[in-house]
């Protein structure tokens, strides 16, 4: 059983940056594909980014590609999402997830989820 705890969300202005972190415990972190998803009010949960076990290969949603960066530190059991140049459309609850399939953008492919961290971007 893997436990995931997100942190780093907050209220920022458009153009600001945030760095989300996800701390994992209870499992062999390096065995899992790690992903970030987000869910805005009234919308379905959507894929943001994922990173493979070794961290060398990443996958991004078109909406954040070239802007957000996902990274992982297997020695510290953490995964991060660097989010510069934030836009109001980035406002959502951001979730960290752990799974075993690659490549995948599907929430159903991830086995473990954190509770989420709120990101609010004001215009």
């Amino acid at each position: 059983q893997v436990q995931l705890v997100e942190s780093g969300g907050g209220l920022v202005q458009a153009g600001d940056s945030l760095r989300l972190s996800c701390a994992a415990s209870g499992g062999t972190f390096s065995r899992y594909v790690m992903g970030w998803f987000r869910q805005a009010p009234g919308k379905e949960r959507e894929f943001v980014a994922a990173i493979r076990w070794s961290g060398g290969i990443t996958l991004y949603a078109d909406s954040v590609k070239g802007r957000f960066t996902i990274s992982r530190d297997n020695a510290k059991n953490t995964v991060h999402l660097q989010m510069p140049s934030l836009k109001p459309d980035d406002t959502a609850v951001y979730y960290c997830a752990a799974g075993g399939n690659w490549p995948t953008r599907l929430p159903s492919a991830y086995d473990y989820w954190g509770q989420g961290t709120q990101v609010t971007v004001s215009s």
Side-chain angles (χ1 to χ4, degrees), residues 10-39:
L11 172 62
V12 297
Q13 294 185 333
D16 287 349
S17 300
L18 281 175
R19 184 183 190 230
L20 303 184
S21 297
C22 173
S25 61
T28 304
F29 181 73
S30 60
R31 291 182 178 178
Y32 293 97
V33 170
M34 298 300 298
W36 285 98
F37 289 77
R38 65 187 182 186
Q39 188 165 18

Side-chain angles (χ1 to χ4, degrees), residues 54-101:
S54 63
I57 298 177
T58 55
L59 184 66
Y60 293 95
D62 289 343
S63 59
V64 305
K65 192 172 185 179
R67 192 161 55 100
F68 290 5
T69 302
I70 187 172
S71 61
R72 68 190 293 165
D73 185 338
N74 287 343
K76 296 182 178 179
N77 290 358
T78 56
V79 61
H80 304 284
L81 185 68
Q82 186 70 41
M83 306 188 298
S85 304
L86 284 162
K87 306 173 183 179
D89 285 349
D90 295 318
T91 295
V93 177
Y94 282 71
Y95 297 91
C96 173
N101 296 316

Side-chain angles (χ1 to χ4, degrees), residues 33-35 37 47 49-53 57-60 99-110:
V33 170
M34 298 300 298
F37 289 77
F47 171 78
I51 188 166
R52 268 185 59 160
W53 311 272
I57 298 177
T58 55
L59 184 66
Y60 293 95
N101 296 316
W102 181 271
T104 183
R105 303 169 185 260
L106 299 175
S108 59
Y110 291 81

